[in-house]
């Protein structure tokens, strides 16, 4: 759910960014299901979030606004990136450690562990130059860079061409 802190810390800045960049604002419903959720409530929150974005000044004539799960490429790229992401990298993520400790390790789904790979796919899918995130997401941003470098090293350039790509 969007709150005043979201507005002051993020959305207010996004409104200014839409005049400077090609911007993509999406409601991250796939990220929202990394912990237990109520499906009707998630659907309601998704619509509410879109309305709040618009009410706060995100202009659909300047920016793309959409629901993450409506673009299959997010999950498809996540799957491909997951195949090249060492699990040790994910086990180091502070948010995963904190949230799984709170929920109890036996009750935590794999989606919480792979959340940063989904975030990487969100970023890389749109070849983003600027990703305004809060302090709690900087580790995930760094992981995105590492995943991208790893995939490029494994499959990019000459290696990719030799493999027939």
């Amino acid at each position: 759910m969007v709150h005043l802190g979201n507005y002051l810390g993020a959305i207010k800045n996004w409104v200014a960014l839409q005049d400077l960049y090609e911007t993509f604002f999406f409601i991250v419903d796939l990220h929202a299901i990394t912990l237990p959720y109520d499906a009707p409530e998630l659907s309601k929150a998704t619509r509410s979030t879109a309305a709040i974005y618009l009410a706060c000044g995100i202009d659909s004539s300047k920016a793309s606004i959409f629901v993450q799960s409506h673009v299959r490429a997010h999950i498809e790229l996540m799957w491909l990136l997951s195949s090249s992401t060492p699990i040790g990298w994910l086990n180091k993520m502070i948010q995963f450690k904190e949230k799984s400790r709170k929920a109890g390790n036996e009750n935590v789904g794999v989606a919480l562990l792979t959340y940063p790979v989904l975030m990487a796919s969100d970023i890389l899918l749109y070849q983003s130059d600027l990703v305004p995130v809060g302090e709690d997401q900087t580790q995930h941003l760094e992981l995105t860079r590492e995943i991208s470098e790893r995939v490029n090293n494994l499959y990019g350039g000459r290696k990719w061409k030799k493999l027939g790509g």
Side-chain angles (χ1 to χ4, degrees):
M1 295 300 297
V2 178
H3 50 75
L4 183 60
N6 296 126
Y7 175 73
L8 295 173
I11 299 172
K12 184 176 162 185
N13 297 321
W14 297 350
V15 172
L17 290 175
Q18 69 186 344
D19 291 323
L20 303 171
Y21 297 93
E22 179 183 13
T23 51
F24 299 91
F25 301 108
F26 49 98
I27 293 91
V28 290
D29 59 335
L30 295 172
H31 288 282
I33 64 173
T34 58
L35 294 172
Y37 67 98
D38 176 74
E41 196 57 41
L42 177 61
S43 179
K44 181 180 171 187
T46 299
R47 288 190 305 278
S48 174
T49 300
I52 289 169
Y53 283 5
L54 295 170
C56 288
I58 301 297
D59 184 345
S60 62
S61 69
K62 297 178 183 178
S64 297
I65 306 168
F66 56 94
V67 178
Q68 181 185 35
S69 65
H70 294 188
V71 180
R72 289 180 47 184
H74 287 267
I75 293 298
E76 292 167 355
L77 182 56
M78 182 214 178
W79 183 255
L80 294 171
L81 296 176
S82 294
S83 70
S84 298
T85 304
I87 197 161
W89 291 4
L90 299 176
N91 283 328
K92 292 178 186 175
M93 298 291 106
I94 293 168
Q95 270 197 350
F96 171 72
K97 289 178 184 179
E98 290 173 356
K99 288 183 178 183
S100 60
R101 200 174 307 123
K102 274 185 194 175
N105 287 336
E106 293 300 315
N107 298 319
V108 174
V110 172
L112 185 61
L113 180 66
T114 59
Y115 172 104
V117 183
L118 178 57
M119 183 175 169
S121 75
D122 297 337
I123 294 166
L124 297 173
L125 185 61
Y126 299 99
Q127 300 176 14
S128 304
D129 294 319
L130 176 69
V131 183
V133 297
E135 188 69 30
D136 63 328
Q137 296 294 310
T138 55
Q139 188 181 31
H140 294 164
L141 241 130
E142 181 62 23
L143 180 68
T144 297
R145 184 189 59 75
E146 291 171 355
I147 292 171
S148 176
E149 287 177 353
R150 180 175 172 87
V151 168
N152 283 332
N153 184 46
L154 291 171
Y155 306 110
R158 290 188 188 109
K159 278 186 179 179
W160 179 247
K161 288 178 184 173
K162 284 181 184 177
L163 293 170

